[in-house]
Amino acid sequence: MSIRHGLLALLERGPRYGSQLRTEFESRTGSTWPLNVGQVYTTLSRLERDGLVVQDGEDDQGHSLYSISDEGRTELRSWFETPVDRSSPPRDELAIKLAMAVGAPGVDIRAVIQSQRHHTVKAMQDYTRLKAQALTDVPANRDEVAWLLVLEQLIFQAEAEARWLDHCEARLVRLAEAAATEPETSTPAPGPARPARTVKARTRR
């Protein structure tokens, strides 16, 4: 999740201060990616260094306000228009775990898969329950619509992970069955030694 661009998107709606940005970010994403205030201000400092935001005075309570600059708007438009790069996918802990579990001594990889599937299905059920609650009423504002989109992405992601785990288990079963039915290659038993040829020397007459 690009916190940098997420903050720029919120600042495009008007000047904001740090904790306000954190609250709005979490509201928009349903607290799926929680932030702390220090993380927000660190990102704001980098955005200011890069000329993408500027300090814009204070509000009535003395909070330092930040505004997006013209360069920041250009950066934000570019982010919205550019597809998310999938050529270098982020490391996935589950994929790494299963890759390392294959052939690892003392590890029952099918038990690993079944344990993860139970967790993934439970998460998917929890997300689906939250979605049903969110759809009890028609989303009233953009924050509720944004949270619904994030929630549905989590549901689809969990569904895909559950299908992949099923696929992994089926592949392992097929490989185990193939290994069990493969005939053993035996080394042929050595036969009786053949007598060496005797070469008679020819006598010269």
Side-chain angles (χ1 to χ4, degrees):
M1 177 63 187
S2 176
I3 299 172
R4 173 186 179 94
H5 293 98
L7 297 184
L8 285 176
L10 294 173
L11 286 172
E12 193 176 34
R13 300 169 61 183
R16 302 283 193 279
Y17 55 87
S19 58
Q20 185 179 14
L21 286 167
R22 184 193 67 171
T23 299
E24 292 187 12
F25 183 95
E26 293 184 351
S27 175
R28 187 69 65 88
T29 61
S31 299
T32 304
W33 300 284
L35 300 178
N36 59 60
V37 174
Q39 190 176 13
V40 171
Y41 277 109
T42 297
T43 304
L44 286 172
S45 295
R46 292 172 180 166
L47 290 171
E48 185 178 14
R49 176 200 64 193
D50 297 339
L52 304 180
V53 303
V54 294
Q55 293 199 35
D56 194 13
E58 298 180 348
D59 64 3
D60 295 339
Q61 287 75 40
H63 298 118
S64 297
L65 297 173
Y66 292 82
S67 295
I68 189 170
S69 66
D70 290 339
E71 291 82 359
R73 288 188 176 86
T74 301
E75 172 75 13
L76 184 60
R77 294 277 80 74
S78 175
W79 182 59
F80 282 135
E81 294 168 1
T82 304
V84 175
D85 183 20
R86 299 300 187 193
S87 60
S88 300
R91 294 182 183 91
D92 184 278
E93 183 179 356
L94 177 57
I96 294 173
K97 180 188 289 188
L98 294 190
M100 296 302 167
V102 174
V107 177
D108 183 351
I109 189 170
R110 291 187 65 184
V112 175
I113 291 173
Q114 290 170 4
S115 174
Q116 182 64 46
R117 183 192 293 111
H118 175 77
H119 175 81
T120 300
V121 170
K122 183 180 182 303
M124 183 169 57
Q125 291 170 344
D126 291 341
Y127 295 146
T128 303
R129 192 177 304 111
L130 288 173
K131 177 183 176 181
Q133 294 173 359
L135 290 176
T136 301
D137 299 316
V138 177
N141 53 55
R142 70 180 72 189
D143 286 347
E144 291 183 4
V145 173
W147 164 228
L148 188 59
L149 294 178
V150 171
L151 193 53
E152 289 173 333
Q153 191 270 345
L154 294 173
I155 293 171
F156 291 140
Q157 190 176 53
E159 289 176 345
E161 184 171 283
R163 290 197 304 272
W164 177 66
L165 290 168
D166 290 342
H167 167 79
C168 291
E169 186 172 33
R171 180 176 292 280
L172 290 171
V173 169
R174 289 195 300 271
L175 290 174
E177 291 174 348
T181 57
E182 184 176 338
E184 295 184 3
T185 56
S186 56
T187 304
R194 299 178 64 182
R197 285 185 174 184
T198 302
V199 180
K200 295 181 179 181
R202 300 176 70 180
T203 56
R204 189 177 293 177
R205 295 192 178 200

mmCIF file with all atom_site columns, all heavy atoms in Angstrom, residues 17 24 53 75-76 81 83 86 90-91 101 110 121 124 127 140 145-146 151 155 160 166 172 181 185 203:
data_model
loop_
_atom_site.group_PDB
_atom_site.id
_atom_site.type_symbol
_atom_site.label_atom_id
_atom_site.label_alt_id
_atom_site.label_comp_id
_atom_site.label_asym_id
_atom_site.label_entity_id
_atom_site.label_seq_id
_atom_site.pdbx_PDB_ins_code
_atom_site.Cartn_x
_atom_site.Cartn_y
_atom_site.Cartn_z
_atom_site.occupancy
_atom_site.B_iso_or_equiv
_atom_site.pdbx_formal_charge
_atom_site.auth_seq_id
_atom_site.auth_comp_id
_atom_site.auth_asym_id
_atom_site.auth_atom_id
_atom_site.pdbx_PDB_model_num
ATOM 1   N N   . TYR A 1 17  ? -3.868  18.062  8.835   1.00 0.00 ? 17  TYR A N   1
ATOM 2   C CA  . TYR A 1 17  ? -2.733  17.862  9.734   1.00 0.00 ? 17  TYR A CA  1
ATOM 3   C C   . TYR A 1 17  ? -2.532  16.358  9.945   1.00 0.00 ? 17  TYR A C   1
ATOM 4   O O   . TYR A 1 17  ? -3.365  15.533  9.532   1.00 0.00 ? 17  TYR A O   1
ATOM 5   C CB  . TYR A 1 17  ? -2.909  18.609  11.057  1.00 0.00 ? 17  TYR A CB  1
ATOM 6   C CG  . TYR A 1 17  ? -4.172  18.318  11.824  1.00 0.00 ? 17  TYR A CG  1
ATOM 7   C CD1 . TYR A 1 17  ? -4.234  17.253  12.731  1.00 0.00 ? 17  TYR A CD1 1
ATOM 8   C CD2 . TYR A 1 17  ? -5.310  19.111  11.661  1.00 0.00 ? 17  TYR A CD2 1
ATOM 9   C CE1 . TYR A 1 17  ? -5.397  17.002  13.456  1.00 0.00 ? 17  TYR A CE1 1
ATOM 10  C CE2 . TYR A 1 17  ? -6.472  18.859  12.378  1.00 0.00 ? 17  TYR A CE2 1
ATOM 11  C CZ  . TYR A 1 17  ? -6.505  17.795  13.270  1.00 0.00 ? 17  TYR A CZ  1
ATOM 12  O OH  . TYR A 1 17  ? -7.659  17.535  13.974  1.00 0.00 ? 17  TYR A OH  1
ATOM 13  N N   . GLU A 1 24  ? -8.426  9.769   8.597   1.00 0.00 ? 24  GLU A N   1
ATOM 14  C CA  . GLU A 1 24  ? -9.126  9.656   7.316   1.00 0.00 ? 24  GLU A CA  1
ATOM 15  C C   . GLU A 1 24  ? -8.600  8.482   6.494   1.00 0.00 ? 24  GLU A C   1
ATOM 16  O O   . GLU A 1 24  ? -9.367  7.808   5.802   1.00 0.00 ? 24  GLU A O   1
ATOM 17  C CB  . GLU A 1 24  ? -8.993  10.965  6.537   1.00 0.00 ? 24  GLU A CB  1
ATOM 18  C CG  . GLU A 1 24  ? -9.744  12.122  7.189   1.00 0.00 ? 24  GLU A CG  1
ATOM 19  C CD  . GLU A 1 24  ? -9.751  13.363  6.313   1.00 0.00 ? 24  GLU A CD  1
ATOM 20  O OE1 . GLU A 1 24  ? -9.381  13.267  5.122   1.00 0.00 ? 24  GLU A OE1 1
ATOM 21  O OE2 . GLU A 1 24  ? -10.122 14.436  6.830   1.00 0.00 ? 24  GLU A OE2 1
ATOM 22  N N   . VAL A 1 53  ? 4.335   18.394  -1.158  1.00 0.00 ? 53  VAL A N   1
ATOM 23  C CA  . VAL A 1 53  ? 3.427   19.068  -0.230  1.00 0.00 ? 53  VAL A CA  1
ATOM 24  C C   . VAL A 1 53  ? 4.155   20.272  0.354   1.00 0.00 ? 53  VAL A C   1
ATOM 25  O O   . VAL A 1 53  ? 5.395   20.348  0.321   1.00 0.00 ? 53  VAL A O   1
ATOM 26  C CB  . VAL A 1 53  ? 2.950   18.144  0.926   1.00 0.00 ? 53  VAL A CB  1
ATOM 27  C CG1 . VAL A 1 53  ? 2.282   16.891  0.390   1.00 0.00 ? 53  VAL A CG1 1
ATOM 28  C CG2 . VAL A 1 53  ? 4.098   17.788  1.855   1.00 0.00 ? 53  VAL A CG2 1
ATOM 29  N N   . GLU A 1 75  ? 2.098   14.215  -9.554  1.00 0.00 ? 75  GLU A N   1
ATOM 30  C CA  . GLU A 1 75  ? 2.504   12.891  -9.070  1.00 0.00 ? 75  GLU A CA  1
ATOM 31  C C   . GLU A 1 75  ? 1.291   12.014  -8.801  1.00 0.00 ? 75  GLU A C   1
ATOM 32  O O   . GLU A 1 75  ? 1.274   10.817  -9.131  1.00 0.00 ? 75  GLU A O   1
ATOM 33  C CB  . GLU A 1 75  ? 3.338   13.066  -7.791  1.00 0.00 ? 75  GLU A CB  1
ATOM 34  C CG  . GLU A 1 75  ? 3.668   11.776  -7.056  1.00 0.00 ? 75  GLU A CG  1
ATOM 35  C CD  . GLU A 1 75  ? 4.746   10.960  -7.735  1.00 0.00 ? 75  GLU A CD  1
ATOM 36  O OE1 . GLU A 1 75  ? 5.424   11.492  -8.634  1.00 0.00 ? 75  GLU A OE1 1
ATOM 37  O OE2 . GLU A 1 75  ? 4.912   9.789   -7.358  1.00 0.00 ? 75  GLU A OE2 1
ATOM 38  N N   . LEU A 1 76  ? 0.260   12.584  -8.196  1.00 0.00 ? 76  LEU A N   1
ATOM 39  C CA  . LEU A 1 76  ? -0.946  11.825  -7.865  1.00 0.00 ? 76  LEU A CA  1
ATOM 40  C C   . LEU A 1 76  ? -1.661  11.367  -9.125  1.00 0.00 ? 76  LEU A C   1
ATOM 41  O O   . LEU A 1 76  ? -2.116  10.216  -9.217  1.00 0.00 ? 76  LEU A O   1
ATOM 42  C CB  . LEU A 1 76  ? -1.869  12.691  -7.014  1.00 0.00 ? 76  LEU A CB  1
ATOM 43  C CG  . LEU A 1 76  ? -3.144  12.017  -6.489  1.00 0.00 ? 76  LEU A CG  1
ATOM 44  C CD1 . LEU A 1 76  ? -2.801  10.819  -5.610  1.00 0.00 ? 76  LEU A CD1 1
ATOM 45  C CD2 . LEU A 1 76  ? -3.998  13.027  -5.724  1.00 0.00 ? 76  LEU A CD2 1
ATOM 46  N N   . GLU A 1 81  ? -3.055  6.909   -12.941 1.00 0.00 ? 81  GLU A N   1
ATOM 47  C CA  . GLU A 1 81  ? -3.098  6.492   -14.344 1.00 0.00 ? 81  GLU A CA  1
ATOM 48  C C   . GLU A 1 81  ? -2.158  5.337   -14.667 1.00 0.00 ? 81  GLU A C   1
ATOM 49  O O   . GLU A 1 81  ? -2.310  4.687   -15.704 1.00 0.00 ? 81  GLU A O   1
ATOM 50  C CB  . GLU A 1 81  ? -2.745  7.694   -15.241 1.00 0.00 ? 81  GLU A CB  1
ATOM 51  C CG  . GLU A 1 81  ? -3.774  8.814   -15.181 1.00 0.00 ? 81  GLU A CG  1
ATOM 52  C CD  . GLU A 1 81  ? -3.284  10.102  -15.827 1.00 0.00 ? 81  GLU A CD  1
ATOM 53  O OE1 . GLU A 1 81  ? -2.138  10.093  -16.346 1.00 0.00 ? 81  GLU A OE1 1
ATOM 54  O OE2 . GLU A 1 81  ? -4.036  11.101  -15.797 1.00 0.00 ? 81  GLU A OE2 1
ATOM 55  N N   . PRO A 1 83  ? -0.668  1.595   -14.124 1.00 0.00 ? 83  PRO A N   1
ATOM 56  C CA  . PRO A 1 83  ? -1.029  0.314   -13.500 1.00 0.00 ? 83  PRO A CA  1
ATOM 57  C C   . PRO A 1 83  ? -0.048  -0.064  -12.395 1.00 0.00 ? 83  PRO A C   1
ATOM 58  O O   . PRO A 1 83  ? 1.145   0.278   -12.450 1.00 0.00 ? 83  PRO A O   1
ATOM 59  C CB  . PRO A 1 83  ? -0.948  -0.688  -14.665 1.00 0.00 ? 83  PRO A CB  1
ATOM 60  C CG  . PRO A 1 83  ? -1.042  0.135   -15.900 1.00 0.00 ? 83  PRO A CG  1
ATOM 61  C CD  . PRO A 1 83  ? -0.420  1.463   -15.571 1.00 0.00 ? 83  PRO A CD  1
ATOM 62  N N   . ARG A 1 86  ? 3.203   -5.520  -11.506 1.00 0.00 ? 86  ARG A N   1
ATOM 63  C CA  . ARG A 1 86  ? 3.147   -6.899  -11.029 1.00 0.00 ? 86  ARG A CA  1
ATOM 64  C C   . ARG A 1 86  ? 4.352   -7.708  -11.492 1.00 0.00 ? 86  ARG A C   1
ATOM 65  O O   . ARG A 1 86  ? 4.401   -8.919  -11.265 1.00 0.00 ? 86  ARG A O   1
ATOM 66  C CB  . ARG A 1 86  ? 1.861   -7.579  -11.527 1.00 0.00 ? 86  ARG A CB  1
ATOM 67  C CG  . ARG A 1 86  ? 0.574   -6.923  -11.034 1.00 0.00 ? 86  ARG A CG  1
ATOM 68  C CD  . ARG A 1 86  ? 0.466   -6.929  -9.543  1.00 0.00 ? 86  ARG A CD  1
ATOM 69  N NE  . ARG A 1 86  ? -0.841  -6.455  -9.078  1.00 0.00 ? 86  ARG A NE  1
ATOM 70  C CZ  . ARG A 1 86  ? -1.106  -6.122  -7.816  1.00 0.00 ? 86  ARG A CZ  1
ATOM 71  N NH1 . ARG A 1 86  ? -0.145  -6.188  -6.908  1.00 0.00 ? 86  ARG A NH1 1
ATOM 72  N NH2 . ARG A 1 86  ? -2.313  -5.715  -7.470  1.00 0.00 ? 86  ARG A NH2 1
ATOM 73  N N   . PRO A 1 90  ? 5.497   -8.682  -4.542  1.00 0.00 ? 90  PRO A N   1
ATOM 74  C CA  . PRO A 1 90  ? 6.044   -8.671  -3.185  1.00 0.00 ? 90  PRO A CA  1
ATOM 75  C C   . PRO A 1 90  ? 6.204   -10.083 -2.652  1.00 0.00 ? 90  PRO A C   1
ATOM 76  O O   . PRO A 1 90  ? 5.521   -11.012 -3.096  1.00 0.00 ? 90  PRO A O   1
ATOM 77  C CB  . PRO A 1 90  ? 4.990   -7.891  -2.382  1.00 0.00 ? 90  PRO A CB  1
ATOM 78  C CG  . PRO A 1 90  ? 3.721   -8.084  -3.157  1.00 0.00 ? 90  PRO A CG  1
ATOM 79  C CD  . PRO A 1 90  ? 4.127   -8.134  -4.606  1.00 0.00 ? 90  PRO A CD  1
ATOM 80  N N   . ARG A 1 91  ? 7.097   -10.263 -1.717  1.00 0.00 ? 91  ARG A N   1
ATOM 81  C CA  . ARG A 1 91  ? 7.303   -11.582 -1.116  1.00 0.00 ? 91  ARG A CA  1
ATOM 82  C C   . ARG A 1 91  ? 6.032   -12.016 -0.392  1.00 0.00 ? 91  ARG A C   1
ATOM 83  O O   . ARG A 1 91  ? 5.450   -11.245 0.359   1.00 0.00 ? 91  ARG A O   1
ATOM 84  C CB  . ARG A 1 91  ? 8.471   -11.554 -0.136  1.00 0.00 ? 91  ARG A CB  1
ATOM 85  C CG  . ARG A 1 91  ? 9.817   -11.291 -0.784  1.00 0.00 ? 91  ARG A CG  1
ATOM 86  C CD  . ARG A 1 91  ? 10.927  -11.329 0.249   1.00 0.00 ? 91  ARG A CD  1
ATOM 87  N NE  . ARG A 1 91  ? 12.215  -11.011 -0.340  1.00 0.00 ? 91  ARG A NE  1
ATOM 88  C CZ  . ARG A 1 91  ? 12.729  -9.796  -0.423  1.00 0.00 ? 91  ARG A CZ  1
ATOM 89  N NH1 . ARG A 1 91  ? 12.037  -8.775  0.064   1.00 0.00 ? 91  ARG A NH1 1
ATOM 90  N NH2 . ARG A 1 91  ? 13.902  -9.575  -0.964  1.00 0.00 ? 91  ARG A NH2 1
ATOM 91  N N   . ALA A 1 101 ? 8.855   -25.928 2.794   1.00 0.00 ? 101 ALA A N   1
ATOM 92  C CA  . ALA A 1 101 ? 8.353   -27.136 3.454   1.00 0.00 ? 101 ALA A CA  1
ATOM 93  C C   . ALA A 1 101 ? 8.464   -28.365 2.563   1.00 0.00 ? 101 ALA A C   1
ATOM 94  O O   . ALA A 1 101 ? 8.530   -29.494 3.065   1.00 0.00 ? 101 ALA A O   1
ATOM 95  C CB  . ALA A 1 101 ? 6.897   -26.937 3.879   1.00 0.00 ? 101 ALA A CB  1
ATOM 96  N N   . ARG A 1 110 ? 1.251   -31.394 4.115   1.00 0.00 ? 110 ARG A N   1
ATOM 97  C CA  . ARG A 1 110 ? -0.205  -31.416 3.999   1.00 0.00 ? 110 ARG A CA  1
ATOM 98  C C   . ARG A 1 110 ? -0.849  -30.862 5.264   1.00 0.00 ? 110 ARG A C   1
ATOM 99  O O   . ARG A 1 110 ? -1.877  -30.189 5.199   1.00 0.00 ? 110 ARG A O   1
ATOM 100 C CB  . ARG A 1 110 ? -0.687  -32.833 3.715   1.00 0.00 ? 110 ARG A CB  1
ATOM 101 C CG  . ARG A 1 110 ? -0.294  -33.345 2.319   1.00 0.00 ? 110 ARG A CG  1
ATOM 102 C CD  . ARG A 1 110 ? -0.921  -34.676 2.012   1.00 0.00 ? 110 ARG A CD  1
ATOM 103 N NE  . ARG A 1 110 ? -2.371  -34.589 1.922   1.00 0.00 ? 110 ARG A NE  1
ATOM 104 C CZ  . ARG A 1 110 ? -3.164  -35.638 1.742   1.00 0.00 ? 110 ARG A CZ  1
ATOM 105 N NH1 . ARG A 1 110 ? -2.642  -36.855 1.642   1.00 0.00 ? 110 ARG A NH1 1
ATOM 106 N NH2 . ARG A 1 110 ? -4.476  -35.488 1.661   1.00 0.00 ? 110 ARG A NH2 1
ATOM 107 N N   . VAL A 1 121 ? -10.029 -19.715 5.311   1.00 0.00 ? 121 VAL A N   1
ATOM 108 C CA  . VAL A 1 121 ? -11.485 -19.814 5.170   1.00 0.00 ? 121 VAL A CA  1
ATOM 109 C C   . VAL A 1 121 ? -12.179 -19.032 6.285   1.00 0.00 ? 121 VAL A C   1
ATOM 110 O O   . VAL A 1 121 ? -13.185 -18.349 6.049   1.00 0.00 ? 121 VAL A O   1
ATOM 111 C CB  . VAL A 1 121 ? -11.926 -21.285 5.168   1.00 0.00 ? 121 VAL A CB  1
ATOM 112 C CG1 . VAL A 1 121 ? -13.445 -21.400 5.267   1.00 0.00 ? 121 VAL A CG1 1
ATOM 113 C CG2 . VAL A 1 121 ? -11.443 -21.981 3.897   1.00 0.00 ? 121 VAL A CG2 1
ATOM 114 N N   . MET A 1 124 ? -11.996 -15.428 5.412   1.00 0.00 ? 124 MET A N   1
ATOM 115 C CA  . MET A 1 124 ? -12.941 -15.125 4.339   1.00 0.00 ? 124 MET A CA  1
ATOM 116 C C   . MET A 1 124 ? -14.362 -15.021 4.880   1.00 0.00 ? 124 MET A C   1
ATOM 117 O O   . MET A 1 124 ? -15.127 -14.139 4.485   1.00 0.00 ? 124 MET A O   1
ATOM 118 C CB  . MET A 1 124 ? -12.864 -16.217 3.271   1.00 0.00 ? 124 MET A CB  1
ATOM 119 C CG  . MET A 1 124 ? -13.754 -15.984 2.058   1.00 0.00 ? 124 MET A CG  1
ATOM 120 S SD  . MET A 1 124 ? -13.377 -17.147 0.718   1.00 0.00 ? 124 MET A SD  1
ATOM 121 C CE  . MET A 1 124 ? -13.616 -18.718 1.555   1.00 0.00 ? 124 MET A CE  1
ATOM 122 N N   . TYR A 1 127 ? -14.662 -11.662 6.673   1.00 0.00 ? 127 TYR A N   1
ATOM 123 C CA  . TYR A 1 127 ? -14.790 -10.562 5.723   1.00 0.00 ? 127 TYR A CA  1
ATOM 124 C C   . TYR A 1 127 ? -16.187 -10.538 5.099   1.00 0.00 ? 127 TYR A C   1
ATOM 125 O O   . TYR A 1 127 ? -16.779 -9.469  4.914   1.00 0.00 ? 127 TYR A O   1
ATOM 126 C CB  . TYR A 1 127 ? -13.751 -10.702 4.602   1.00 0.00 ? 127 TYR A CB  1
ATOM 127 C CG  . TYR A 1 127 ? -12.314 -10.586 5.057   1.00 0.00 ? 127 TYR A CG  1
ATOM 128 C CD1 . TYR A 1 127 ? -11.306 -11.332 4.432   1.00 0.00 ? 127 TYR A CD1 1
ATOM 129 C CD2 . TYR A 1 127 ? -11.941 -9.727  6.088   1.00 0.00 ? 127 TYR A CD2 1
ATOM 130 C CE1 . TYR A 1 127 ? -9.982  -11.220 4.835   1.00 0.00 ? 127 TYR A CE1 1
ATOM 131 C CE2 . TYR A 1 127 ? -10.631 -9.629  6.497   1.00 0.00 ? 127 TYR A CE2 1
ATOM 132 C CZ  . TYR A 1 127 ? -9.645  -10.374 5.857   1.00 0.00 ? 127 TYR A CZ  1
ATOM 133 O OH  . TYR A 1 127 ? -8.348  -10.272 6.255   1.00 0.00 ? 127 TYR A OH  1
ATOM 134 N N   . ALA A 1 140 ? -23.373 5.408   2.420   1.00 0.00 ? 140 ALA A N   1
ATOM 135 C CA  . ALA A 1 140 ? -23.850 6.788   2.473   1.00 0.00 ? 140 ALA A CA  1
ATOM 136 C C   . ALA A 1 140 ? -22.824 7.801   1.988   1.00 0.00 ? 140 ALA A C   1
ATOM 137 O O   . ALA A 1 140 ? -23.184 8.919   1.613   1.00 0.00 ? 140 ALA A O   1
ATOM 138 C CB  . ALA A 1 140 ? -24.263 7.135   3.910   1.00 0.00 ? 140 ALA A CB  1
ATOM 139 N N   . VAL A 1 145 ? -18.046 3.595   0.693   1.00 0.00 ? 145 VAL A N   1
ATOM 140 C CA  . VAL A 1 145 ? -17.837 2.930   -0.593  1.00 0.00 ? 145 VAL A CA  1
ATOM 141 C C   . VAL A 1 145 ? -16.402 2.417   -0.696  1.00 0.00 ? 145 VAL A C   1
ATOM 142 O O   . VAL A 1 145 ? -16.152 1.283   -1.136  1.00 0.00 ? 145 VAL A O   1
ATOM 143 C CB  . VAL A 1 145 ? -18.149 3.884   -1.760  1.00 0.00 ? 145 VAL A CB  1
ATOM 144 C CG1 . VAL A 1 145 ? -17.765 3.241   -3.092  1.00 0.00 ? 145 VAL A CG1 1
ATOM 145 C CG2 . VAL A 1 145 ? -19.628 4.252   -1.774  1.00 0.00 ? 145 VAL A CG2 1
ATOM 146 N N   . ALA A 1 146 ? -15.436 3.243   -0.276  1.00 0.00 ? 146 ALA A N   1
ATOM 147 C CA  . ALA A 1 146 ? -14.032 2.841   -0.329  1.00 0.00 ? 146 ALA A CA  1
ATOM 148 C C   . ALA A 1 146 ? -13.780 1.620   0.547   1.00 0.00 ? 146 ALA A C   1
ATOM 149 O O   . ALA A 1 146 ? -13.086 0.678   0.147   1.00 0.00 ? 146 ALA A O   1
ATOM 150 C CB  . ALA A 1 146 ? -13.142 4.004   0.114   1.00 0.00 ? 146 ALA A CB  1
ATOM 151 N N   . LEU A 1 151 ? -12.836 -4.239  1.302   1.00 0.00 ? 151 LEU A N   1
ATOM 152 C CA  . LEU A 1 151 ? -13.347 -5.462  1.898   1.00 0.00 ? 151 LEU A CA  1
ATOM 153 C C   . LEU A 1 151 ? -13.560 -6.542  0.843   1.00 0.00 ? 151 LEU A C   1
ATOM 154 O O   . LEU A 1 151 ? -13.207 -7.718  1.032   1.00 0.00 ? 151 LEU A O   1
ATOM 155 C CB  . LEU A 1 151 ? -14.658 -5.157  2.622   1.00 0.00 ? 151 LEU A CB  1
ATOM 156 C CG  . LEU A 1 151 ? -15.234 -6.201  3.581   1.00 0.00 ? 151 LEU A CG  1
ATOM 157 C CD1 . LEU A 1 151 ? -14.194 -6.611  4.609   1.00 0.00 ? 151 LEU A CD1 1
ATOM 158 C CD2 . LEU A 1 151 ? -16.470 -5.638  4.257   1.00 0.00 ? 151 LEU A CD2 1
ATOM 159 N N   . ILE A 1 155 ? -11.888 -10.334 0.321   1.00 0.00 ? 155 ILE A N   1
ATOM 160 C CA  . ILE A 1 155 ? -12.670 -11.564 0.128   1.00 0.00 ? 155 ILE A CA  1
ATOM 161 C C   . ILE A 1 155 ? -12.161 -12.318 -1.096  1.00 0.00 ? 155 ILE A C   1
ATOM 162 O O   . ILE A 1 155 ? -11.915 -13.536 -1.043  1.00 0.00 ? 155 ILE A O   1
ATOM 163 C CB  . ILE A 1 155 ? -14.166 -11.230 -0.017  1.00 0.00 ? 155 ILE A CB  1
ATOM 164 C CG1 . ILE A 1 155 ? -14.724 -10.680 1.301   1.00 0.00 ? 155 ILE A CG1 1
ATOM 165 C CG2 . ILE A 1 155 ? -14.952 -12.477 -0.443  1.00 0.00 ? 155 ILE A CG2 1
ATOM 166 C CD1 . ILE A 1 155 ? -16.133 -10.128 1.189   1.00 0.00 ? 155 ILE A CD1 1
ATOM 167 N N   . ALA A 1 160 ? -9.085  -16.780 -3.567  1.00 0.00 ? 160 ALA A N   1
ATOM 168 C CA  . ALA A 1 160 ? -8.010  -17.235 -4.450  1.00 0.00 ? 160 ALA A CA  1
ATOM 169 C C   . ALA A 1 160 ? -6.969  -18.038 -3.673  1.00 0.00 ? 160 ALA A C   1
ATOM 170 O O   . ALA A 1 160 ? -6.467  -19.062 -4.161  1.00 0.00 ? 160 ALA A O   1
ATOM 171 C CB  . ALA A 1 160 ? -7.351  -16.038 -5.131  1.00 0.00 ? 160 ALA A CB  1
ATOM 172 N N   . ASP A 1 166 ? -5.921  -25.658 -2.200  1.00 0.00 ? 166 ASP A N   1
ATOM 173 C CA  . ASP A 1 166 ? -6.518  -26.901 -2.703  1.00 0.00 ? 166 ASP A CA  1
ATOM 174 C C   . ASP A 1 166 ? -5.670  -27.465 -3.841  1.00 0.00 ? 166 ASP A C   1
ATOM 175 O O   . ASP A 1 166 ? -5.431  -28.677 -3.915  1.00 0.00 ? 166 ASP A O   1
ATOM 176 C CB  . ASP A 1 166 ? -7.942  -26.648 -3.195  1.00 0.00 ? 166 ASP A CB  1
ATOM 177 C CG  . ASP A 1 166 ? -8.912  -26.355 -2.055  1.00 0.00 ? 166 ASP A CG  1
ATOM 178 O OD1 . ASP A 1 166 ? -8.580  -26.666 -0.895  1.00 0.00 ? 166 ASP A OD1 1
ATOM 179 O OD2 . ASP A 1 166 ? -9.996  -25.798 -2.336  1.00 0.00 ? 166 ASP A OD2 1
ATOM 180 N N   . LEU A 1 172 ? 0.383   -32.405 -4.611  1.00 0.00 ? 172 LEU A N   1
ATOM 181 C CA  . LEU A 1 172 ? 1.211   -33.242 -3.744  1.00 0.00 ? 172 LEU A CA  1
ATOM 182 C C   . LEU A 1 172 ? 0.678   -34.673 -3.689  1.00 0.00 ? 172 LEU A C   1
ATOM 183 O O   . LEU A 1 172 ? 1.458   -35.632 -3.670  1.00 0.00 ? 172 LEU A O   1
ATOM 184 C CB  . LEU A 1 172 ? 1.268   -32.641 -2.337  1.00 0.00 ? 172 LEU A CB  1
ATOM 185 C CG  . LEU A 1 172 ? 2.066   -31.333 -2.209  1.00 0.00 ? 172 LEU A CG  1
ATOM 186 C CD1 . LEU A 1 172 ? 1.857   -30.722 -0.835  1.00 0.00 ? 172 LEU A CD1 1
ATOM 187 C CD2 . LEU A 1 172 ? 3.548   -31.593 -2.450  1.00 0.00 ? 172 LEU A CD2 1
ATOM 188 N N   . THR A 1 181 ? 3.709   -45.745 -7.322  1.00 0.00 ? 181 THR A N   1
ATOM 189 C CA  . THR A 1 181 ? 3.465   -46.722 -8.387  1.00 0.00 ? 181 THR A CA  1
ATOM 190 C C   . THR A 1 181 ? 4.633   -46.851 -9.348  1.00 0.00 ? 181 THR A C   1
ATOM 191 O O   . THR A 1 181 ? 4.633   -47.724 -10.213 1.00 0.00 ? 181 THR A O   1
ATOM 192 C CB  . THR A 1 181 ? 2.212   -46.327 -9.196  1.00 0.00 ? 181 THR A CB  1
ATOM 193 O OG1 . THR A 1 181 ? 2.401   -45.003 -9.728  1.00 0.00 ? 181 THR A OG1 1
ATOM 194 C CG2 . THR A 1 181 ? 0.975   -46.328 -8.307  1.00 0.00 ? 181 THR A CG2 1
ATOM 195 N N   . THR A 1 185 ? 13.915  -49.303 -10.097 1.00 0.00 ? 185 THR A N   1
ATOM 196 C CA  . THR A 1 185 ? 14.947  -49.675 -11.062 1.00 0.00 ? 185 THR A CA  1
ATOM 197 C C   . THR A 1 185 ? 15.970  -50.540 -10.360 1.00 0.00 ? 185 THR A C   1
ATOM 198 O O   . THR A 1 185 ? 16.616  -50.118 -9.403  1.00 0.00 ? 185 THR A O   1
ATOM 199 C CB  . THR A 1 185 ? 15.619  -48.417 -11.621 1.00 0.00 ? 185 THR A CB  1
ATOM 200 O OG1 . THR A 1 185 ? 16.137  -47.648 -10.526 1.00 0.00 ? 185 THR A OG1 1
ATOM 201 C CG2 . THR A 1 185 ? 14.624  -47.562 -12.396 1.00 0.00 ? 185 THR A CG2 1
ATOM 202 N N   . THR A 1 203 ? 54.172  -70.580 -33.845 1.00 0.00 ? 203 THR A N   1
ATOM 203 C CA  . THR A 1 203 ? 55.609  -70.907 -33.932 1.00 0.00 ? 203 THR A CA  1
ATOM 204 C C   . THR A 1 203 ? 56.053  -70.737 -35.368 1.00 0.00 ? 203 THR A C   1
ATOM 205 O O   . THR A 1 203 ? 55.313  -71.051 -36.307 1.00 0.00 ? 203 THR A O   1
ATOM 206 C CB  . THR A 1 203 ? 55.873  -72.327 -33.482 1.00 0.00 ? 203 THR A CB  1
ATOM 207 O OG1 . THR A 1 203 ? 55.080  -73.212 -34.255 1.00 0.00 ? 203 THR A OG1 1
ATOM 208 C CG2 . THR A 1 203 ? 55.509  -72.492 -31.999 1.00 0.00 ? 203 THR A CG2 1
#
